[in-house]
């Protein structure tokens, strides 16, 4: 009990510090109680709503992001996105701190408990299944772009009332690239590394992955063009965002989920690569926001969510190794944040009350009009 209240205190103090840094540097105001009646909210939302979720992948610490010495690493968040968003400084993750299981928990609204490195589906229904089943949407309307082959089952749960047939289409850009380049003689090793924690983990692929022939049919991209473009990219996340932008342009799904992962290169122990990963992720978030504002199908009707799966260990926890890993499960690595921008969202406001990682799915449900019946969290009224 004492531990719990201690954790709550630490989370609150992280949230307040974050809030103060943002107030000073990005000029945001502290959000108060809601004053708009619900009918006004309903009127304010356009009928063709869309949602894009980005997981700010791999997790970064405040020292390298929101604190004064870190702000230079996230100019797009600080200068463009945060001033236009409702920002939550205390998103608490109470689940397992492994990337696949934590991202699956974000997508189900339930803390999933499966082995992070197992090739399994989430047990609870995913947001994609609720969305498609409730609103009778085709599979082309919900997509996931995921960083590693280990994420191939994230689009669809094993739940018997949902599951097969109701999931999202999942694109694994690395798999696509390795299929496209097999025998081409090009070396794409820097884009193809599957994850940063277990170099020899090569998950078996099954499920609903995007097949190579659809590259042409759906994204109107020839294998040659795709290969040529990939040669200009410096990271796997750039490849993911490139694919996501093609999808936005050609398919314009209502629900698009992009999981970024470059920052997790921190596991290698090179601080400079970790910082480079944060800067790239910041830039890619800025590019996605620009795409939302300029693609006719998305401009004016899209709500954009950015949140990390979790953070990293602090320097002063004896059980960890600072920025490199996320092994201690300490409160700092569990106290994350969320940025919400775009349609129906107040701009330039920061909220420091505690919300839970599992609140995302119910919030998306309230936004798009489906019922996430088995999710544990609650909708976040400040962004509805
Ligand atoms: Zn990691």
């Amino acid at each position: 009990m004492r531990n719990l209240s201690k954790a709550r205190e630490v989370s609150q103090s992280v949230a307040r510090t974050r809030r103060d840094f943002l107030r000073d540097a990005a000029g945001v105001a502290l959000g108060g109680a809601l004053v708009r009646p619900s009918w006004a909210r309903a009127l304010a939302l356009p009928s063709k709503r869309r949602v894009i979720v980005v997981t700010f992948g791999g997790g970064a610490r405040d020292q390298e992001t929101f604190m004064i010495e870190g702000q230079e690493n996230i100019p797009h968040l600080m200068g463009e996105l945060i001033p236009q968003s409702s920002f939550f400084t205390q998103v608490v993750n109470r689940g397992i701190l492994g990337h696949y299981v934590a991202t699956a928990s974000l997508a189900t609204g339930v803390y999933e408990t499966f082995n992070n490195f197992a090739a399994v589906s989430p047990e609870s229904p995913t947001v994609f299944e609720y969305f498609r089943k409730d609103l009778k949407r085709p599979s082309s309307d919900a997509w996931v772009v995921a960083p590693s082959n280990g994420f191939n089952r994230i689009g669809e749960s094993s739940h018997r009332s949902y599951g097969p047939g109701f999931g999202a289409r999942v694109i694994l850009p690395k798999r696509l690239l390795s299929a496209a380049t097999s025998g081409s003689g090009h070396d794409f090793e820097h884009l193809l590394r599957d994850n940063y924690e277990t170099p020899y983990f090569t998950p078996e692929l099954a499920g609903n992955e995007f097949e190579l022939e659809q590259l042409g049919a759906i994204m109107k991209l020839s294998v040659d063009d795709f290969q040529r473009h990939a040669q200009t990219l410096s990271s796997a996340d750039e490849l993911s965002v490139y694919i996501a932008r093609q999808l936005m342009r050609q398919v314009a799904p209502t629900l698009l989920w992009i999981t970024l992962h470059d920052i997790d290169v921190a596991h290698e122990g090179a601080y400079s690569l970790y910082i480079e990963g944060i800067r790239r992720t910041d830039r890619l978030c800025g590019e996605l926001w620009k795409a939302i504002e300029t693609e006719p199908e998305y401009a004016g009707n899209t709500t954009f969510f950015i949140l990390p799966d979790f953070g990293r260990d602090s320097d002063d926890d004896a059980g960890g190794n600072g920025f490199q890993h996320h092994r201690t499960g300490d409160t700092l690595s569990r106290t994350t944040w969320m940025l919400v921008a775009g349609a129906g969202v107040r701009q330039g406001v920061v909220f420091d009350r505690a919300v839970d990682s599992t609140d995302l799915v119910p919030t998306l449900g309230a936004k798009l009009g489906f019922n996430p019946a088995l999710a544990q969290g609650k909708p976040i009224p400040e962004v509805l």
Side-chain angles (χ1 to χ4, degrees), residues 31-246:
L34 284 170
V35 287
R36 278 190 306 172
S38 57
W39 58 265
R41 271 180 260 149
L43 282 179
L45 285 168
S47 57
K48 190 134 179 89
R49 298 169 210 171
R50 294 179 197 277
V51 162
I52 296 183
V53 178
V54 170
T55 64
F56 197 85
R61 308 182 306 175
D62 281 16
Q63 290 101 303
E64 289 85 34
T65 52
F66 300 114
M67 286 165 93
I68 290 172
E69 64 270 33
Q71 288 171 5
E72 61 173 11
N73 299 323
I74 51 167
H76 295 278
L77 289 190
M78 294 302 293
E80 296 158 25
L81 276 153
I82 292 172
Q84 297 187 64
S85 71
S86 286
F87 191 96
F88 295 82
T89 59
Q90 193 182 168
V91 180
V92 180
N93 181 332
R94 299 173 212 279
I96 300 172
L97 304 189
H99 298 291
Y100 175 42
V101 65
T103 307
S105 303
L106 286 178
T108 59
V110 172
Y111 288 117
E112 296 286 323
T113 54
F114 58 80
N115 170 1
N116 186 56
F117 293 109
V120 293
S121 300
E123 282 172 16
S124 301
T126 62
V127 63
F128 317 108
E129 293 156 78
Y130 291 129
F131 164 72
R132 286 195 48 215
K133 194 173 180 188
D134 271 14
L135 303 180
K136 303 189 170 44
R137 302 302 307 168
S139 65
S140 57
D141 213 21
W143 292 76
V144 177
V145 182
S148 101
N149 294 345
F151 279 62
N152 70 313
R153 287 183 170 87
I154 198 166
E156 198 163 81
S157 71
S158 57
H159 195 280
R160 60 193 146 85
S161 305
Y162 292 85
F166 288 113
R169 294 202 189 175
V170 178
I171 301 191
L172 307 169
K174 291 180 196 182
R175 176 175 151 93
L176 208 53
L177 183 63
S178 60
T181 57
S182 67
S184 74
H186 291 303
D187 176 16
F188 286 101
E189 202 185 333
H190 68 295
L191 296 180
L192 293 177
R193 168 103 182 248
D194 202 60
N195 73 80
Y196 298 108
E197 282 171 279
T198 52
Y200 303 109
F201 173 61
T202 45
E204 189 190 311
L205 284 171
N208 199 13
E209 316 99 28
F210 185 74
E211 298 301 333
L212 189 58
E213 57 268 27
Q214 294 179 284
L215 189 68
I218 292 180
M219 289 191 279
K220 316 270 189 292
L221 261 182
S222 74
V223 170
D224 277 356
D225 284 344
F226 178 55
Q227 270 192 41
R228 209 170 304 127
H229 194 84
Q231 282 178 284
T232 69
L233 302 175
S234 58
S235 86
D237 283 352
E238 288 203 79
L239 184 64
S240 295
V241 168
Y242 172 66
I243 294 286
R245 295 202 51 182
Q246 300 296 323

Side-chain angles (χ1 to χ4, degrees), residues 58 99 197 261 264 267 310 312 326:
H99 298 291
E197 282 171 279
H261 202 62
D264 212 41
H267 286 295
F310 47 80
R312 310 195 82 81
H326 37 83

Side-chain angles (χ1 to χ4, degrees), residues 16-31 66 71 78 82 89 348 350 352:
R16 273 195 302 267
T17 312
R18 239 173 231 166
R19 177 195 75 191
D20 293 344
F21 281 123
L22 292 181
R23 215 159 32 172
D24 293 346
V28 292
L30 183 61
F66 300 114
Q71 288 171 5
M78 294 302 293
I82 292 172
T89 59
V350 60
D352 62 2

